[in-house]
């Protein structure tokens, strides 16, 4: 008799995006005219084509694989040196991170979930509310939670509310937690954490022997020079933090797939006997046992992000998305709505008008403006009363969205 992992039965059926799809389908079927005009600003996926430098590097790499003198088979599981070195040189210069502390993978979604393989049972997990749902569901799957209540909150998780009052950065909890997920710039709120806020979190983690899982997937969107892009800019973070980064949002690699995780050799966890062990060899072992490396052409494409042409092209993509975010911000501000994010992140987080709730706003935008947004409550209870507009779109679409918001919601 094969038994199953009962934890999977605790998972709430993916509610947010299926429910969005259901409502959009119902709308388009009953309203062909609106359907033809529909603009999607919901899902956090890039829209603009891959940078030329990355495409060229991938073409060249494929050609290498087609020639017996340059063919390559399995590569190093942790990633090729050319990419690990380029990452350290371009992303961690002066922060004391070495290339062998960088693990190249096929995505941060996978890494943030897989990292739980190296942690023990019974860790107390803290997540922000609202939150990127992957952190929650992967903890449910490994048994770090109890059942969900009617509101979708899981027993055993520590929810850290992120509200306008705390600028969407969680207040340090009174209680001990063992793992805490922080994501800045944040999806969905678009908020950033200040140096001081991150210093407080690092101090907390060091004092309580906790580990910070820092998701920096949106670091490339930071415009304000005072905002840290890496947790390792904070003194002491190399003893208590793992950082996740991805080529998905800067290089537009959501379909290409390449990311990396930094595990400093000085980060430790405690075994069942109370002895400390570095996490680096555990993650290295996990990575090389269950993963066979990101593909060679993809790693060449990723490395091209750091070439002079690649940097210019990625810079232009980010600039375009951030200009979109500025237009969306301005439009919502003119209507007198509370507007957050969108200044160092490609997401604008907006308070719903007239006391309507997040799903009410979703329907209103769909029916009146034929624009798909994401209801804030879908990311957690503290997201109720907000909606997220993604700046990942063409300029033409964003300008049209701004016109429609102004005409239909003003
Ligand atoms: C998009 C995103 C990522 C990147 O995931 P990939 O698997 O690398 O595409 C990671 N974290 C958050 C919060 C994201 O929104």
């Amino acid at each position: 008799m094969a038994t199953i992992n009962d934890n999977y039965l605790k998972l709430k059926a993916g509610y947010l995006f299926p429910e969005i799809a259901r409502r959009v389908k119902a709308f388009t079927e009953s309203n062909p005219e609106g359907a033809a005009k529909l603009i999607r600003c919901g899902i956090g996926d890039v829209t603009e084509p891959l940078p030329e430098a990355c495409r060229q590097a991938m073409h060249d790499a494929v050609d290498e694989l087609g020639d017996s003198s340059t063919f390559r088979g399995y590569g190093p599981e942790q990633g090729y040196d050319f990419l690990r070195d380029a990452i350290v040189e371009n992303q961690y210069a002066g922060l004391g991170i070495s290339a062998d502390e960088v693990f190249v993978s096929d995505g941060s979604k996978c890494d943030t979930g897989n990292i739980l393989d190296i942690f023990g049972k019974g860790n107390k997990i803290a997540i922000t509310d609202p939150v990127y749902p992957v952190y929650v569901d992967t903890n449910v799957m490994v048994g770090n939670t109890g059942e969900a209540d009617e509101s979708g909150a899981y027993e055993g998780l520590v929810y850290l509310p992120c509200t306008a009052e705390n600028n969407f950065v969680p207040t340090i909890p009174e209680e001990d937690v063992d793992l805490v997920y922080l994501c800045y710039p944040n999806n969905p709120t678009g908020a950033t954490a200040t140096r001081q806020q991150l210093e407080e979190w690092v101090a907390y983690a060091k004092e309580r022997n906790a580990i910070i899982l820092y998701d920096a997937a949106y670091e490339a969107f930071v415009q304000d020079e005072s905002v840290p892009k890496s947790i390792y800019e904070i003194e002491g973070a190399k003893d208590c933090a793992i950082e996740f980064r991805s080529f998905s949002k800067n290089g537009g690699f959501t379909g290409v797939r390449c990311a990396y995780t930094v595990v400093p050799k000085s980060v430790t966890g405690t075994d069942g006997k109370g002895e400390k062990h570095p996490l680096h060899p555990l993650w290295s072992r996990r990575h090389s046992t269950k993963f066979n490396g990101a593909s060679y052409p993809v790693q060449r494409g990723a490395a091209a992000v750091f070439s002079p042409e690649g940097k210019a092209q990625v810079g232009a993509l980010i600039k375009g998305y951030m200009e979109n975010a500025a237009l969306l911000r301005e439009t919502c501000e003119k209507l007198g709505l509370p507007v957050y994010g969108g200044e160092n992140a490609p997401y604008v987080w907006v308070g719903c008008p007239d006391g309507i709730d997040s799903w009410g706003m979703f329907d209103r935008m769909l029916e009146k403006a034929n624009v798909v947004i994401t209801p804030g409550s879908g990311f957690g209870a503290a997201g109720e009363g907000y909606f997220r507009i993604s700046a990942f779109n063409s300029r033409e679409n964003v300008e049209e969205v701004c016109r429609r918001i102004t005409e239909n919601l003003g």
Side-chain angles (χ1 to χ4, degrees), residues 115-138:
I115 199 75
L116 292 174
D117 271 13
I118 66 167
F119 290 105
K121 290 267 161 289
N123 279 317
K124 189 125 198 122
I125 314 293
I127 56 144
T128 61
D129 175 13
V131 72
Y132 180 55
V134 176
Y135 315 148
V136 177
D137 288 358
T138 53

Side-chain angles (χ1 to χ4, degrees), residues 174-313:
E174 301 274 318
E175 65 194 299
D176 282 341
V177 302
D178 303 306
L179 296 180
V180 54
Y181 291 80
L182 297 177
C183 172
Y184 290 98
N186 188 259
N187 175 12
T189 65
T192 53
T194 65
R195 186 170 298 276
Q196 194 196 330
Q197 286 164 327
L198 293 179
E199 281 168 357
E200 287 168 15
W201 272 103
V202 167
Y204 170 86
K206 289 192 66 152
E207 188 193 311
R208 319 278 176 117
N209 284 314
I211 297 206
I212 297 172
L213 301 172
Y214 197 74
D215 186 341
Y218 295 95
E219 57 79 28
F221 294 85
V222 172
Q223 311 290 310
D224 178 344
E225 285 184 3
S226 73
V227 171
K229 291 184 154 205
S230 168
I231 189 72
Y232 304 121
E233 290 176 42
I234 308 303
E235 173 104 37
K238 280 208 293 282
D239 299 328
C240 63
I242 291 174
E243 181 162 289
F244 304 92
R245 288 200 184 185
S246 173
F247 293 94
S248 282
K249 309 294 162 44
N250 59 344
F253 273 41
T254 53
V256 176
R257 312 304 305 144
C258 198
Y260 51 98
T261 291
V262 179
V263 186
K265 291 183 191 131
S266 42
V267 184
T268 58
T270 307
D271 72 13
K273 299 192 200 91
E275 272 172 48
K276 287 195 172 179
H277 296 268
L279 297 181
H280 183 276
L282 305 187
W283 183 245
S284 185
R285 187 59 190 261
R286 192 267 165 215
H287 206 68
S288 48
T289 302
K290 291 198 183 180
F291 184 62
N292 240 342
S295 91
Y296 175 66
V298 162
Q299 291 191 59
R300 282 290 181 198
V305 161
F306 303 119
S307 68
E309 308 77 50
K311 281 181 189 167
Q313 291 158 12

